[in-house]
Amino acid sequence: MPSNPMPFPRPTARRDAPEASVAASEGLGLRHRPRRNRKADWSRRLVRETTLTVDDLIWPIFLNEAKGRVAIASMPGVERLDVDEAVREAERAARLGIPALALFPNVDPSLRDATGSECQNRQNLVCRAVRAIKATVPGIGLVTDVALDPYTSHGHDGLLDGGRILNDETVMVLARQAVTQAEAGADVIAPSDMMDGRVGAIRDALDAAGFADVQIMAYAAKYASAFYGPFRDAIGTSATLTGDKRTYQMDPANTDEAIREAALDLEEGADMIMVKPGMPYLDIVRRLKDTFAAPTYAYQVSGEYAMIMAAAANGWLDGERAMMESLMAFKRAGADGVLTYFAPRVAERLAKG
């Protein structure tokens, strides 16, 4: 017996025919041909396992005190917007069918201090933008970030004592910040700070203030990542951040820790959970969705966006295809939705079929 027998008899070649012609004419004896389902567009659509729709998109936008629009060099195509421009983009989002916007402020440096006190100002940039958008586009969802880094002079997400971030004291400030945003009309409070216990404290504070229907989207698994650089440019913390955030953001080497963090957030009252960054952490998205079956989101962060845009600008890849493929990957991994700066472009493309 030969050491590696063929799974079926080798056809006998005719002297006057090439071997490939013999195989084509006599066949390989295959019963299963997966390519049959890929033979045409209509067939591929029928068997497609994962779909991407405009309902899967949350569009993060950056707010600015300066009038008009200010380009962000490290995020081509993305701009900081004053309140009036933010309202116009909200109207655009509504026309495109995008369900929600996520708002992030670039706070004037003169308003930043060691305690981030501007975050509780009912007339701060985020609150003014929320009220203006809701007055014009009441049907669009608004997700507001709860963290101190845009408001602090040191660029950290919490109160700083020497070189130590104070957890419990920070949580009390975050709860008041959340109520301030809810009073302005925010629909979803999204704590991104990664302080222990903040979801429960925010839920209690919202309920006590009469905002039991305001949702919480917890940044359940937010990693200490190198992919946040352009975002920090956008909100103006690149220059102010002292040290790093590894004592509160998660170690990129850990996955079981994400399960524990998400379990705590859900137990404390989170309505939705998020993984950040996105594509380098698709395994975390899958684990959280499989474990909890809760509404699960991923944030395609600024570094991911910038890489695709830079590669496309250099002609190294097809930017449109890479954009769509990256978002499909989030859905395939189990995400119910994606925060992405590509949202309006994707929505326009989906509208065109």
Side-chain angles (χ1 to χ4, degrees):
M1 291 288 292
S3 58
N4 293 300
M6 296 292 290
F8 46 82
R10 181 187 296 276
T12 303
R14 301 196 313 271
R15 292 183 179 180
D16 59 344
E19 185 174 347
S21 297
V22 174
S25 63
E26 298 188 14
L28 300 175
L30 300 180
R31 290 186 179 275
H32 302 286
R33 292 183 179 271
R35 284 186 56 195
R36 291 189 191 114
N37 288 337
R38 302 196 290 267
K39 67 182 180 182
D41 178 68
W42 65 263
S43 182
R44 293 190 294 272
R45 287 159 52 204
L46 280 176
V47 300
R48 185 164 292 148
E49 300 171 35
T50 305
T51 57
L52 176 69
T53 76
V54 71
D55 297 334
D56 301 317
L57 305 175
I58 298 174
W59 183 11
I61 65 172
F62 295 105
L63 305 171
N64 203 48
E65 293 284 4
K67 288 297 182 182
R69 295 170 176 261
V70 179
I72 302 167
S74 55
M75 299 181 70
V78 177
E79 300 167 309
R80 301 187 195 98
L81 311 170
D82 69 14
V83 171
D84 291 339
E85 292 294 335
V87 171
R88 292 187 184 96
E89 291 295 58
E91 291 176 313
R92 179 188 176 198
R95 288 193 300 270
L96 290 170
I98 296 172
L101 304 178
L103 309 182
F104 298 93
N106 185 314
V107 177
D108 189 288
S110 67
L111 299 174
R112 303 183 192 200
D113 58 28
T115 63
S117 60
E118 178 67 8
C119 78
Q120 299 177 59
N121 179 4
R122 289 180 171 84
Q123 298 301 321
N124 67 29
L125 182 57
V126 169
C127 290
R128 284 186 281 119
V130 168
R131 285 192 293 269
I133 292 171
K134 281 296 183 181
T136 306
V137 195
I140 200 161
L142 294 182
V143 182
T144 53
D145 178 58
V146 167
L148 299 188
D149 54 328
Y151 304 94
T152 57
S153 53
H154 46 73
H156 277 285
D157 297 52
L159 302 176
L160 190 63
D161 180 17
R164 186 169 67 97
I165 299 296
L166 302 176
N167 188 92
D168 296 11
E169 294 86 343
T170 296
V171 167
M172 297 301 102
V173 177
L174 298 175
R176 293 193 292 271
Q177 180 186 10
V179 171
T180 300
Q181 293 175 352
E183 289 173 343
D187 300 290
V188 182
I189 300 299
S192 64
D193 56 286
M194 291 301 288
M195 297 296 119
D196 294 338
R198 89 275 201 212
V199 171
I202 290 171
R203 183 72 274 160
D204 289 344
L206 290 173
D207 291 354
F211 298 108
D213 289 338
V214 171
Q215 297 154 274
I216 296 176
M217 176 186 283
Y219 286 64
K222 181 180 180 180
Y223 286 84
S225 172
F227 288 90
Y228 302 147
F231 178 91
R232 290 174 182 165
D233 291 342
I235 66 169
T237 61
S238 293
T240 61
L241 180 62
T242 57
D244 58 54
K245 302 189 177 187
R246 287 180 291 180
T247 66
Y248 47 100
Q249 294 179 356
M250 287 176 54
D251 185 339
N254 293 352
T255 173
D256 290 343
E257 184 181 17
I259 301 295
R260 296 194 295 273
E261 288 279 5
L264 288 170
D265 287 351
L266 290 167
E267 182 181 338
E268 291 174 20
D271 302 285
M272 299 168 276
I273 54 177
M274 187 203 302
V275 175
K276 182 181 181 181
M279 288 193 71
Y281 297 88
L282 293 180
D283 60 318
I284 307 302
V285 175
R286 181 78 268 167
R287 284 202 69 187
L288 294 188
K289 189 62 177 178
D290 287 347
T291 301
F292 301 108
T296 303
Y297 295 79
Y299 198 142
Q300 186 178 46
V301 299
S302 58
E304 300 171 63
Y305 171 87
M307 288 193 302
I308 292 174
M309 293 295 289
N314 281 281
W316 298 334
L317 51 72
D318 182 328
E320 289 293 303
R321 289 186 61 190
M323 172 184 73
M324 300 301 289
E325 185 178 338
S326 67
L327 295 180
M328 189 65 74
F330 290 117
K331 292 300 302 296
R332 193 184 65 243
D336 296 290
V338 186
L339 288 82
T340 177
Y341 304 101
F342 288 119
R345 288 174 57 184
V346 172
E348 288 170 353
R349 179 163 178 152
L350 291 171
K352 295 175 181 176

